[in-house]
Amino acid sequence: MNKINLLSYHPIVDIHENVAFANNGNVVVCYKGILPEIYSLAEKDFEDIHGTWFQAVKSLPTGCVVHKQDIYLKQNYTAEQLPNKTFLEQATHNHFKGREFIKHQCYLFFILTKNKALNNSKYVNPFRKVSKNSIQEIDEHINTFMGAVKDSVSFINNSRKMEFTALNAQEIHSLTDNYFNGFNTGFDTDILLDTAQRGNKSKTNIGEHYFDVLAVNSELCFGESVQTSKTNERFTSDDFVFHQGYIDSLGLTLNENHIVNQIIYLDDKQKWRKQLDKKVEELNKSSNFGSQNKVVLKKIQHILDQINADDNARVIRGHLNIMYWDREVRNLDRIASKIKAEFKELDIVPYYPRGEERKNYILNSYCCFSSNFSNEDLYVTDLKHALCLLINNTNYKSDPTGVIFNDREHNIPVLKDVWDEHKKRIKARNFAIFAPTGEGKSFLANNILRQYFESGVRLVIIDLGGSYTKFAKLYPEQYTVLRYESGKNLGINPFYISNLNDLTPERLEDLSVFLFELFSSDLKVTKAQSVSVKKILRHYYSQISEGHSLNSFYEFIETNQEQLLKQLKIHPDYFNITNFLHIMSEYVGDGLYSFLFEVSEDQTYKIEDKRLIVFELDEVKDNKEILSVMLKLIKSAIQRTIWKNRAEKGIILFDEFAKQLKFDNVLESVEFYYQAIRKQNGAIGIILQSINQLPNNSTSASILENTQVIYSLNNEKGYDELQKRLSLSSHDLNQLKSIKNNLAGSRKYTEMFIKIGKESNIFRLEVPKEVYAAYLTDGSENEEIMKLYEQHQNMEKAILEFTSKT
């Protein structure tokens, strides 16, 4: 048969849920797989996965065929998942739309055959007409088989590293149609066998695609041994080893249209062991004992020794093939060379089938027909050996929503949900960014915060470096920048209330904490002292109807100091008025820091309706007292505005955090945010050049414990301290060491390590030129954009004019 029309010879007679009944009497249980992300697995992970496969497959019944099929298709990125409303969203959407990448689909099939002995002739025509009697009905035997398959899949899924879910009837039909349609899109076609000629070679042709195959079909194809994993030469360096699965180089990174089929025949254990014994005996007796026979004998003896040494050994027959295709016949030789080169690295010599045999391999690598291979097409080995030839990873996984990064293979966008609304991966969504100067930490922070902001999250940025003003100017009605200037205040009055209804218990609690932080920051506040201050505050507001401020509160206590405690029934031990007036005198009247609280009216109304608030404290970074008071004032403003609505998502970012950490009381003040944020729908971010800038004490330990999203950029000094303080795994460390940036060429990117809870991988950050311009924080290019902004008073226009020149 040289032409096959699928409508005339459909391979499936019936489908019940995920069970296909084939026209040849086979019963096929069908699953699709969700595998770990490529590059996310350590050497031990590969060993664990191999062990999982072995336990799951070894007990399946005799006569069962297991077929794992990995399909790799060249596709163009549609960008449908990317938001496309704002200026920067549209730029990102357009930048990545149409980019070529490889899409991976993983399938797992369990086949129960009518021919339990699996002793097929050399060529089986899968499309021959079969009598109705050969179709199997669901009976006790099939139910027992399906039960064994469910147990096997449950065991794999319980490993938590892989997940296989049942295919539905539509998915099974779709897979069948795509396979026999040669993965052509937009039209249906016939399979034409052996029609395209190239030299002396004929090719299989389906629609616009020409197909070819390379296979591992004999134990003689293998070299000395196989492993669960091998060194990944691309990322391994002198001081660390990066691992990949044994045949991963034939998967995603091959970067061609292809299918990897691994088929395992679980038949009579003893029969094939005897077959190997017989082969050894024949080779030993051979009269003309040549060098080739010696090689063959050595290989078979090695396999037998492995089987005999392992009590758990399960002898199987197996078949591995790689089908590949292209629109141009001439490209098939190029792809074959790539595949052969990868096989050579693995010390495997593939077999190249031609003519009738190639046709046989292509047709019978479809799941309903994969029981059709003969003994000549199969190698005999131990199950553990065969399972080393599975591909156990896939593309980077995009979450339904999240921050856009890029994968490490094709630089296509990957959405990572670092907020985790339902807390499936993380219990605390606080994050930290670690990177030395010049490695792009502010650029990365801009990228994360901008996307959060555009998705509706409210931002408060406490900045000592001026890195966020430019990006803020893209949203003219929605941001405000409160900048500290020497000798001036921020316009925040913690005592301001618009009416008495503002004076809630929470508000009084916050005010009392604020006062204690100012006048007794070194002491632990007792319950009695706290109650006393709240009583005085309530009395103050009941007596003074307007002009509330720290100055007014101070004067009220000073004026009423003789009778105040007696009137409110407060014991002098619980509130020392003399001490209070002495310490607070520094912040009122002509006190040294009185300017911080000189407020004619409260300015916090300016931030109440803003969704992006930047506090620029660059001028204050070296003054412990002013910085500490500023952070307290900011905290009071946040509590009164941003945290009023607990349903609203919010993020507080401390940039240049190390400069703030020079002072002990600042660390305590920040820890308060970490404790308070738990009650809010929010997150805190910190940016540090090195984790060593965080003091090694209990406060820092508490902060790190509540930080479960970690970003690290390239650090030439190494990552040992980061690993130690964050308890990172050895593979996390290897991932960090493998970071490489590419700041030349058409696709510039930086690489970063991201760990979300227990999941980690290396991601890239590639952005379009408009986004790059928006995130620049210094240098001549930044100055040019700011000049254009001054000219147009429109940041979008300034960026477009700047990018049109570059």
Side-chain angles (χ1 to χ4, degrees), residues 272-313:
W272 297 106
R273 185 180 290 198
K274 285 174 188 167
Q275 187 89 358
L276 287 176
D277 283 332
K278 194 176 172 186
K279 279 188 184 179
V280 168
E281 199 177 317
E282 284 170 5
L283 285 166
N284 275 321
K285 285 179 182 173
S286 180
S287 53
N288 55 344
F289 205 83
S291 59
Q292 182 58 34
N293 280 1
K294 281 183 183 176
V295 173
V296 173
L297 175 64
K298 189 181 172 188
K299 284 185 179 182
I300 295 175
Q301 189 63 59
H302 179 68
I303 292 166
L304 255 179
D305 290 345
Q306 280 185 310
I307 291 167
N308 292 330
D310 188 350
D311 292 337
N312 289 320

Side-chain angles (χ1 to χ4, degrees), residues 559-702:
T559 305
N560 297 288
Q561 59 183 303
E562 299 297 330
Q563 70 277 15
L564 185 64
L565 298 184
K566 195 171 186 179
Q567 191 179 349
L568 297 176
K569 296 179 181 174
I570 297 171
H571 194 281
D573 288 352
Y574 299 152
F575 187 76
N576 187 326
I577 288 183
T578 309
N579 186 48
F580 175 83
L581 292 174
H582 172 64
I583 291 171
M584 299 301 283
S585 65
E586 204 164 33
Y587 303 112
V588 296
D590 58 357
L592 185 60
Y593 298 114
S594 60
F595 64 88
L596 294 171
F597 294 94
E598 280 172 5
V599 182
S600 53
E601 60 169 323
D602 181 48
Q603 303 289 304
T604 44
Y605 70 87
K606 288 183 179 177
I607 70 173
E608 282 184 17
D609 62 340
K610 302 298 183 190
R611 290 185 44 251
L612 172 52
I613 302 126
V614 183
F615 293 101
E616 282 197 357
L617 307 182
D618 195 44
E619 284 194 38
V620 81
K621 62 177 177 278
D622 296 319
N623 188 311
K624 170 184 175 179
E625 190 62 38
I626 298 178
L627 180 59
S628 181
V629 173
M630 283 292 174
L631 288 171
K632 292 176 179 69
L633 284 167
I634 290 166
K635 184 165 71 182
S636 86
I638 290 169
Q639 285 168 320
R640 285 156 53 202
T641 56
I642 295 144
W643 285 356
K644 265 199 312 194
N645 178 5
R646 289 193 178 182
E648 186 177 46
K649 293 178 182 176
I651 290 176
I652 300 168
L653 177 79
F654 292 91
D655 196 357
E656 296 289 354
F657 192 45
K659 293 175 185 173
Q660 302 171 29
L661 290 180
K662 286 189 292 188
F663 317 122
D664 293 342
N665 58 344
V666 172
L667 189 60
E668 266 76 58
S669 180
V670 171
E671 190 191 16
F672 166 85
Y673 282 96
Y674 276 85
Q675 290 163 350
I677 205 86
R678 291 177 193 167
K679 301 170 193 169
Q680 314 297 327
N681 192 10
I684 292 175
I686 55 174
I687 301 180
L688 289 166
Q689 289 183 19
S690 161
I691 199 163
N692 289 336
Q693 293 175 324
L694 207 53
N696 208 340
N697 58 27
S698 59
T699 309
S700 296
S702 168

Side-chain angles (χ1 to χ4, degrees), residues 379-573:
Y379 56 82
V380 180
T381 189
D382 173 39
L383 177 59
K384 286 181 180 175
H385 178 286
L387 292 173
C388 289
L389 306 181
L390 291 184
I391 291 175
N392 291 312
N393 53 41
T394 188
N395 299 87
Y396 279 58
K397 294 179 195 131
S398 253
D399 295 319
T401 60
V403 176
I404 301 166
F405 300 102
N406 302 88
D407 82 337
R408 203 177 194 180
E409 202 51 49
H410 308 98
N411 278 30
I412 58 165
V414 179
L415 271 71
K416 276 291 157 191
D417 183 1
V418 286
W419 187 267
D420 199 9
E421 186 80 46
H422 303 294
K423 299 192 174 178
K424 289 180 180 177
R425 286 189 286 219
I426 48 176
K427 290 185 173 65
R429 52 180 68 103
N430 305 321
F431 64 91
I433 297 173
F434 300 100
T437 302
E439 289 294 342
K441 54 185 178 291
S442 290
F443 194 93
L444 173 59
N446 268 283
N447 182 61
I448 295 166
L449 294 180
R450 188 270 297 179
Q451 293 183 59
Y452 267 135
F453 176 73
E454 292 186 338
S455 68
V457 178
R458 201 166 185 184
L459 303 181
V460 178
I461 300 169
I462 300 162
D463 181 22
L464 273 69
S467 302
Y468 303 92
T469 312
K470 178 144 64 66
F471 128 67
K473 289 182 191 300
L474 278 167
Y475 315 96
E477 302 302 316
Q478 300 180 62
Y479 84 95
T480 187
V481 177
L482 297 175
R483 185 179 287 108
Y484 171 77
E485 294 175 52
S486 184
K488 295 183 182 177
N489 58 63
L490 276 181
I492 298 170
N493 177 5
F495 288 82
Y496 174 82
I497 58 169
S498 53
N499 58 61
L500 279 173
N501 292 334
D502 280 357
L503 211 60
T504 60
E506 289 82 11
R507 184 68 189 282
L508 282 167
E509 201 71 59
D510 292 342
L511 258 179
S512 68
V513 170
F514 173 75
L515 285 166
F516 276 118
E517 284 182 337
L518 275 180
F519 81 86
S520 69
S521 58
D522 307 337
L523 307 170
K524 186 165 173 58
V525 178
T526 66
K527 178 77 173 171
Q529 290 171 315
S530 177
V531 170
S532 303
V533 168
K534 281 180 278 187
K535 271 189 175 183
I536 295 166
L537 281 166
R538 285 182 74 188
H539 185 54
Y540 162 69
Y541 280 104
S542 69
Q543 298 297 308
I544 307 295
S545 58
E546 58 184 16
H548 304 115
S549 66
L550 179 62
N551 214 63
S552 160
F553 182 63
Y554 182 90
E555 286 173 2
F556 174 76
I557 291 178
E558 189 177 38
T559 305
N560 297 288
Q561 59 183 303
E562 299 297 330
Q563 70 277 15
L564 185 64
L565 298 184
K566 195 171 186 179
Q567 191 179 349
L568 297 176
K569 296 179 181 174
I570 297 171
H571 194 281
D573 288 352

Side-chain angles (χ1 to χ4, degrees), residues 32-36 153 156-157 159-165:
K32 61 182 170 187
I34 301 167
L35 304 176
V153 171
I156 295 170
N157 289 346
S159 73
R160 301 283 178 93
K161 285 194 166 70
M162 302 174 283
E163 184 185 359
F164 285 88
T165 57

